[in-house]
Amino acid sequence: MALPEGALPLVVGTGLALAALTLVLSPLLGAMDATDTAKPAPQRRRDDDEPVNTAVDALREIEFDRETGKLSESDYADMKQRYTREALAELRAAEAAAGGGNVTPPAPALAVLDGAPDPVEAAIARARAGVRRCGVCGPRPEPDATYCSSCGRYLPEKCGACGTTIDLVGSRFCSGCGTQLAAA
């Protein structure tokens, strides 16, 4: 039996179209088969072949989100407390698996759980307290500046003895307690 005239290109074209469709859809069909097996995902590893601790990574992520303004302080406090506990449990489990025996968490993590101030946060607060501020431009990057590097205004100082603000340029004595401010 002979094919009608012009049927051969139609049969070849249909075969090529079906082959292309199979090639395009095979990753999707393969993905469906892979979900049926339900294999556990392999544990991710960092570049230095260290296993990734999910709670530790979550702590880093919420810290970043707070700094960029994506997370409120109340949410940050709740999440930090929860993830700190989880991270400690993960670190203890990893240490026990490595044969560590008696495992104690690092001191900063204990301080957070006990309600004591975090040493890192305390260091940041001390650094911020030492920053000179301009009334117009805000915090200045120069720790020993007398004048604002942006607008040129005098940067007020505080007396070390009584905390009185010194607004007069060139003052040598505190107006509140009389303590000498600068060497004569």
Side-chain angles (χ1 to χ4, degrees):
M1 170 166 159
L3 291 174
E5 188 177 321
L8 183 61
L10 182 64
V11 170
V12 171
T14 303
L16 287 174
L18 288 174
L21 185 63
T22 304
L23 183 66
V24 169
L25 293 179
S26 64
L28 295 175
L29 296 174
M32 288 180 177
D33 293 339
T35 57
D36 295 338
T37 60
K39 281 194 242 178
Q43 186 178 18
R44 295 181 322 159
R45 295 188 174 271
R46 291 196 178 111
D47 292 338
D48 59 355
D49 221 20
E50 177 184 337
V52 175
N53 296 318
T54 55
V56 174
D57 289 339
L59 279 170
R60 288 186 186 116
E61 187 69 27
I62 64 169
E63 187 71 31
F64 176 77
D65 287 347
R66 183 186 77 159
E67 291 297 321
T68 56
K70 296 178 185 176
L71 194 61
S72 70
E73 289 296 323
S74 61
D75 289 341
Y76 169 74
D78 294 339
M79 294 172 84
K80 182 176 180 182
Q81 185 178 20
R82 186 181 82 189
Y83 286 133
T84 300
R85 287 189 181 127
E86 289 178 16
L88 283 173
E90 286 178 4
L91 292 172
R92 286 178 181 152
E95 185 71 26
N102 187 8
V103 179
T104 58
L110 280 176
V112 171
L113 289 178
D114 294 337
D118 186 8
V120 174
E121 294 291 333
I124 291 171
R126 283 192 308 271
R128 286 182 179 161
V131 172
R132 304 288 306 267
R133 298 186 61 83
C134 173
V136 175
C137 304
R140 305 311 313 147
E142 307 87 8
D144 59 346
T146 304
Y147 297 94
C148 178
S149 60
S150 185
C151 68
R153 294 178 190 256
Y154 176 71
L155 297 175
E157 296 183 37
K158 289 194 177 193
C159 174
C162 70
T164 302
T165 302
I166 311 298
D167 292 331
L168 295 173
V169 179
S171 294
R172 293 185 183 210
F173 297 95
C174 174
S175 62
C177 67
T179 304
Q180 185 175 2
L181 299 173

